[in-house]
Amino acid sequence: MFLLNSQKILKEWTDYNQHMNLSYYILVFDNAAEVMLSKFQMGEQAAKNTNRSTMAVESHTFYKNEVKEGEEAVSYTHLRAHETSLHLVCRLLLE
């Protein structure tokens, strides 16, 4: 498991219950995936240099705990490579 990044949850990312909104979970995981892909020369810079890139085909989100404004969330990921695909499993943990 790789530690990718840490970020504070912003007020604009929360809903009327002060819980982080789904779209921002996706943003946090997308940012974490970019960090991971860049480590393997498959991120934004590689796409610009080689005219080849990756794309997300499928996403699943499981909620095991509430994430609220001001909390520090840490992104971790597992990476599995197959012949024609990559499988990233990202986890968001609170500090």
Side-chain angles (χ1 to χ4, degrees):
M1 185 159 43
F2 297 98
L3 168 61
L4 296 178
N5 62 345
S6 175
Q7 54 193 117
K8 191 172 291 270
I9 304 308
L10 305 176
K11 179 176 178 50
E12 332 41 278
W13 294 5
T14 62
D15 61 18
Y16 50 85
N17 292 313
Q18 289 76 50
H19 300 135
M20 190 161 84
N21 187 285
L22 171 64
S23 59
Y24 294 101
Y25 281 90
I26 304 303
L27 173 68
V28 168
F29 291 142
D30 189 54
N31 290 340
E34 180 60 30
V35 171
M36 175 59 82
L37 291 171
S38 292
K39 289 180 184 289
F40 293 97
Q41 288 82 43
M42 298 172 67
E44 179 181 1
Q45 196 57 47
K48 289 177 179 177
N49 293 339
T50 65
N51 203 28
R52 296 172 56 183
S53 68
T54 60
M55 63 176 277
V57 176
E58 188 173 348
S59 175
H60 301 271
T61 306
F62 297 95
Y63 301 97
K64 295 191 174 190
N65 200 357
E66 296 174 343
V67 179
K68 295 189 173 189
E69 175 191 348
E71 292 183 314
E72 191 74 22
V74 181
S75 299
Y76 292 89
T77 194
H78 295 270
L79 172 67
R80 287 182 279 198
H82 301 280
E83 192 173 312
T84 59
S85 64
L86 295 173
H87 185 177
L88 288 170
V89 177
C90 297
R91 293 178 184 225
L92 187 65
L93 303 175
L94 299 177
E95 288 196 328

